[in-house]
Amino acid sequence: MLLGPATVALAIPIIRNRRELRRFFLPVASAVAAGSITGIASAVFIARAFGASDLLVNSIAPKSVT
């Protein structure tokens, strides 16, 4: 129910600061990539540490990106 307002609340500052984001595209893209990789790796590691099946680990990995 609150996903729409939250999306708009994030979109407005992004649009207002788009020039700054373009200027710092490489650092922002690098941080997003590093965060995604860290999220996937930590989710897979934790699932394996708790003895999750391969099927569960394979389904957790892509979900942890979001």
Side-chain angles (χ1 to χ4, degrees):
M1 185 166 82
L2 295 176
L3 184 59
T7 303
V8 172
L10 289 171
I12 291 171
I14 289 173
I15 292 298
R16 286 184 180 162
N17 295 307
R18 64 184 174 266
R19 288 187 187 103
E20 291 293 317
L21 286 172
R22 282 188 196 131
R23 197 171 113 205
F24 295 108
F25 175 77
L26 189 58
V28 170
S30 299
V32 168
S36 296
I37 291 168
T38 302
I40 293 169
S42 64
V44 168
F45 175 75
I46 291 169
R48 288 191 193 267
F50 281 105
S53 68
D54 287 339
L55 181 64
L56 184 62
V57 171
N58 290 337
S59 67
I60 287 174
K63 182 153 180 70
S64 63
V65 171
T66 59

